[in-house]
Amino acid sequence: MIPIIYENDEIIIINKPSGLAVQGGQGVVHSVDRDFAEQVGYKIYLVHRLDKDTSGLMVVAKNPVAAGKWTKLIGSKIVKKEYLALCAGKMPSKSGVINEEIVQHGDSKTAVTKYKVEKETDIVQTEPDNQPVSIHLSLVRLMLETGRMHQIRIHLSKNGCPIAGDDQHGNFKLNKLLKKLAGIKRLQLSAVRLTVPLEGKDKTFEVSVPFDFKFEE
């Protein structure tokens, strides 16, 4: 069952699990558009995307008119989306803006990501040869100004702080070590906060982080 966070006559806000594709297609057994439609008993309409391995808050529409409206809203700056990423590395500063173009389909496109480092820690373990192994982990909050494919993953990787468990844009050898030292087995990225206009005012929804690694309080 895909958790429902909010529902009205136009939309449903869900908490998409990691590992579930948003849209079905060749070779895709499970997807939001198929599985969630079966869950609620009617066709749903996609208005935006999350990567298959990214978990978190996502809006789906109940009818074509609502889909058109919410596709435009989410494409504008009216809807605000915030993500948390567990990264292997250290950002250049505690907060800032990454403004680096991303190449998509052969074209360079503007991409802007705001970030703030919320927590940091070091994982240290001594190997059998008595050599200590240390990995710096950063919990980074991110806000998208643009919506390019894999934007967060590419921007963080380019800044020397790839998302833990990202085998496409991250560091494969480091991910292997993180699996061993910290039990991290999948992409550590989640859409945790969503602010949308409802009933004449902004309403914010938030979900907890489902990461494999937990920072000590």
Side-chain angles (χ1 to χ4, degrees):
M1 293 284 284
I2 299 172
I4 294 173
I5 306 300
Y6 172 84
E7 182 176 1
N8 66 12
D9 292 339
E10 292 185 339
I11 60 167
I12 304 173
I13 298 175
I14 62 171
N15 186 7
K16 187 189 86 67
S18 172
L20 179 65
V22 168
Q23 192 166 23
Q26 189 173 0
V28 178
V29 178
H30 294 285
S31 60
V32 171
D33 61 349
R34 183 185 302 160
D35 292 20
F36 192 61
E38 288 181 6
Q39 181 177 321
V40 296
Y42 51 85
K43 183 177 179 178
I44 55 100
Y45 298 81
L46 301 173
V47 297
H48 67 121
R49 305 283 193 274
L50 288 176
D51 291 345
K52 177 183 176 181
D53 295 322
T54 302
S55 64
L57 294 167
M58 183 179 162
V59 178
V60 298
K62 290 184 169 183
N63 57 67
V65 174
K69 172 185 171 181
W70 281 90
T71 299
K72 289 178 182 176
L73 280 171
I74 289 171
S76 72
K77 293 188 178 181
I78 296 170
V79 170
K80 295 179 175 63
K81 294 174 280 186
E82 293 184 23
Y83 297 75
L84 277 175
L86 178 65
C87 303
K90 189 184 270 286
M91 292 298 289
S93 59
K94 293 292 185 184
S95 63
V97 179
I98 303 169
N99 190 343
E100 297 177 12
E101 291 188 345
I102 289 176
V103 177
Q104 289 187 343
H105 309 297
D107 296 324
S108 291
K109 296 186 177 181
T110 302
V112 183
T113 307
K114 294 181 179 179
Y115 73 88
K116 180 183 178 184
V117 179
E118 298 206 335
K119 293 181 182 179
E120 294 179 274
T121 193
D122 289 296
I123 297 177
V124 182
Q125 182 170 309
T126 303
E127 292 291 273
D129 58 2
N130 290 323
Q131 291 296 316
V133 175
S134 178
I135 300 175
H136 188 83
L137 293 179
S138 302
L139 184 66
V140 186
R141 184 173 292 270
L142 304 121
M143 287 123 316
L144 295 177
E145 291 288 305
T146 54
R148 308 303 179 198
M149 185 182 291
H150 293 187
Q151 178 175 320
I152 289 174
R153 298 163 69 174
I154 293 169
H155 272 175
L156 288 172
S157 185
K158 280 186 173 181
N159 280 270
C161 200
I163 300 174
D166 188 348
D167 283 336
Q168 186 171 350
H169 300 286
N171 184 315
F172 183 77
K173 288 184 179 179
L174 195 57
N175 287 337
K176 204 171 179 181
L177 193 57
L178 283 168
K179 185 176 182 180
K180 177 185 174 184
L181 299 184
I184 293 171
K185 302 173 184 176
R186 57 195 169 86
L187 182 74
Q188 304 293 289
L189 177 64
S190 186
V192 295
R193 204 163 190 258
L194 182 69
T195 302
V196 296
L198 291 169
E199 299 167 6
K201 60 183 180 181
D202 286 344
K203 192 170 178 65
T204 298
F205 301 91
E206 200 156 1
V207 291
S208 59
V209 181
F211 291 165
D212 298 337
F213 176 86
K214 303 294 182 186
F215 280 82
E216 293 182 7
E217 295 298 332

